[in-house]
Amino acid sequence: QVQLVESGGGLVQVGGSLRLSCAASGAPFSSASMAWFRQAPGKEREFVTVSRRTGLGYVADNADFVKGRFTISRDNTKNTVYLQMSSLKPEDTAVYFCAASWGRNDVYTNSGTYPYWGQGTQVTVSS
């Protein structure tokens, strides 16, 4: 069975940085498209960034609000995907979820693309 476990969340002040990790198991990690979503209280889950597997390798794509502040990376030797966040803002406060797909990934901003999800890790940015 596929399991995704996020870690690295916490409390950070405005302008600070955090690195989230998502460890995957149960399926070949290198062939997966790995994404990060987030969900604030009372709001719908929204796409943050993805490391999408293509026939030509991995392609990273970001939501517009990222604006260079967040970077997704992956270490296939550790079966782990990371979300490096900097210049954090209060609006970044949310539960951040890791998601994985071993199927089609062309609609990568849609949460329905990803059948596998972690439990989430809380990121709180204080102002």
Side-chain angles (χ1 to χ4, degrees), residues 32-86:
S33 295
M34 303 295 299
W36 289 94
F37 288 73
R38 69 184 187 184
Q39 187 168 21
K43 298 182 179 180
E44 295 184 355
R45 191 167 299 185
E46 65 177 346
F47 169 77
V48 178
T49 184
V50 63
S51 174
R52 187 166 62 92
R53 180 179 182 266
T54 75
L56 300 177
Y58 301 110
V59 177
D61 291 290
N62 304 310
D64 290 341
F65 65 77
V66 168
K67 296 182 179 179
R69 298 183 300 121
F70 299 173
T71 301
I72 190 170
S73 62
R74 63 197 295 162
D75 186 341
N76 289 341
T77 68
K78 298 180 179 179
N79 294 343
T80 300
V81 65
Y82 304 95
L83 179 62
Q84 179 66 52
M85 303 185 293
S86 62

Side-chain angles (χ1 to χ4, degrees), residues 1 7 10 13 17 21 29 32-34 38 41-42 49 54 60 76 80 82 91 93-94 106 111-112 114-115 123-124:
Q1 68 275 34
S7 62
Q13 65 183 30
S17 300
S21 300
F29 181 78
S33 295
M34 303 295 299
R38 69 184 187 184
T49 184
T54 75
N76 289 341
T80 300
Y82 304 95
E91 64 192 58
T93 295
D106 52 317
S111 62
Y114 307 93
V123 172
T124 302

Side-chain angles (χ1 to χ4, degrees), residues 2-20:
V2 174
Q3 184 177 17
L4 306 176
V5 181
E6 301 99 334
S7 62
L11 177 65
V12 64
Q13 65 183 30
V14 172
S17 300
L18 282 175
R19 189 181 74 163
L20 309 183

